[in-house]
Amino acid sequence: MSHELLRQPKWRVIDQSHFGPLFDAKQSFAIDDALCTAVGAGLSDTVVRTWVHENTVVLGVADTKLPYIDEAVSFLREEGYRVVVRNSGGLAVVLDSGVLNISLIFPETKNTIAIEQGYEAMYALMAAMLALYGARVEAGEIVGSYCPGNYDLSIDGKKFAGISQRRVRGGVAVQIYLCVNGSGAARAELIRRFYELGRQGEKTKFAYPDVVPAVMASLSELLGRELSIDELLVALWRTLQSFGSELYSSALEGGEWNWYERYWARIVERNANVSPGEPMRDVNP
């Protein structure tokens, strides 16, 4: 069934991987919610959206409950990172110019999509895409990674990607971050320090990960060749086409803008307590 989800007649491609430093991660979460609403209402074909954000740490809601969250967030900002609280599950992840994010947005109006089916579809897509490079991708929790889960993607025991899901009004967004280049261990060290400052040895009700930087790496490190975001995008399009799908380029349109504005306001409100005084910049998505 995972492969069946990938065999769409058409994929509407929305590429936002080159919007630059003013593109705020809060916008991405609002965009995906707007597209979920459109797809769920039958007003859009299935969507593949690609996006990149520079120097941003995306927190899960549970992260905001750390006993010393203010100190931990201050550290991230001093290191030059924006801090955003996502509207989907999971824990802290690092986004930067070497991390490609992909959202697959499916309708759930005719057939229910089980949570595992969404994860398996993204795993199948990544396994097929990276097979072009001779990589054997495995799915399963990598202990010591940040934002650990059953669908951590790894090569030779080192995690390079994580998958999450978001369901809104009949649409299902399956989202993945892919560490394409740069140092996976350096990203992990940033999050290790974040949790160290956020906990400061105190016991917490929630079990935060004990991050071990050595278990994380980028695809460039794992494959022994320098990969670019653009190269991975081409591999993504070719892989989707290999499932018999037609791809066409698009952007937000029509009523999607109204939904975007509504979801944008919600996520800005959600972030108000975590990002006091941080300017809300906007670019046209």
Side-chain angles (χ1 to χ4, degrees):
M1 180 63 181
S2 60
H3 284 74
E4 288 304 312
L5 284 177
L6 299 175
R7 292 189 178 97
Q8 300 292 328
K10 293 184 179 181
W11 282 98
R12 177 186 173 194
V13 177
I14 300 179
D15 179 22
Q16 299 176 326
S17 60
H18 294 284
F19 276 11
L22 294 185
F23 188 30
D24 191 313
K26 292 188 291 294
Q27 291 175 264
S28 267
F29 297 120
I31 291 165
D32 273 5
D33 281 4
L35 291 170
C36 273
T37 303
V39 170
L43 301 175
S44 168
D45 289 318
T46 306
V47 173
V48 53
R49 186 173 78 89
T50 51
W51 37 292
V52 171
H53 293 292
E54 297 192 11
N55 288 11
T56 300
V57 173
V58 180
L59 304 181
V61 174
D63 291 316
T64 67
K65 310 299 182 185
L66 283 161
Y68 298 96
I69 183 62
D70 290 345
E71 289 182 41
V73 168
S74 293
F75 159 73
L76 293 176
R77 289 189 176 142
E78 288 166 4
E79 293 294 311
Y81 288 82
R82 285 185 182 183
V83 181
V84 171
V85 181
R86 70 162 69 81
N87 53 9
S88 56
L91 292 171
V93 300
V94 181
L95 304 182
D96 57 41
S97 59
V99 178
L100 174 62
N101 302 275
I102 303 168
S103 297
L104 304 179
I105 302 177
F106 302 100
E108 201 179 28
T109 44
K110 294 181 180 179
N111 298 301
T112 299
I113 298 174
I115 292 175
E116 293 78 11
Q117 287 176 311
Y119 284 123
E120 287 288 340
M122 183 65 85
Y123 171 37
L125 176 60
M126 293 300 103
M129 185 176 86
L130 294 173
L132 300 173
Y133 298 92
R136 182 172 180 272
V137 178
E138 296 185 340
E141 182 173 342
I142 299 298
V143 177
S145 66
Y146 55 70
C147 198
N150 291 335
Y151 282 88
D152 294 341
L153 299 190
S154 62
I155 295 171
D156 296 330
K158 292 194 175 186
K159 177 177 173 178
F160 65 89
I163 309 173
S164 63
Q165 284 190 55
R166 172 86 172 155
R167 289 165 185 252
V168 179
R169 295 182 175 274
V172 179
V174 185
Q175 303 157 326
I176 190 169
Y177 71 84
L178 280 169
C179 293
V180 177
N181 52 51
S183 170
R187 294 182 181 108
E189 174 58 25
L190 183 79
I191 301 302
R192 187 199 68 77
R193 183 72 174 135
F194 164 77
Y195 283 122
E196 183 179 64
L197 290 169
R199 285 182 292 191
Q200 295 189 25
E202 286 197 12
K203 288 185 177 181
T204 56
K205 291 181 179 179
F206 189 87
Y208 297 100
D210 292 315
V211 178
V212 179
V215 303
M216 300 194 72
S218 69
L219 281 170
S220 292
E221 291 172 318
L222 292 168
L223 299 179
R225 54 171 291 184
E226 189 63 20
L227 296 173
S228 68
I229 297 292
D230 287 344
E231 184 177 347
L232 262 290
L233 287 173
V234 172
L236 173 63
W237 312 146
R238 287 178 176 170
T239 305
L240 285 173
Q241 287 173 328
S242 75
F243 288 98
S245 303
E246 175 188 337
L247 276 61
Y248 67 95
S249 181
S250 182
L252 287 189
E253 54 191 35
E256 291 169 350
W257 284 106
N258 296 326
W259 288 320
Y260 165 74
E261 294 293 346
R262 188 183 313 162
Y263 292 124
W264 165 252
R266 287 183 187 177
I267 197 162
V268 167
E269 182 179 0
R270 173 189 288 271
N271 278 266
N273 293 330
V274 178
S275 307
E278 187 174 87
M280 297 297 181
R281 300 183 181 90
D282 200 359
V283 298
N284 189 332

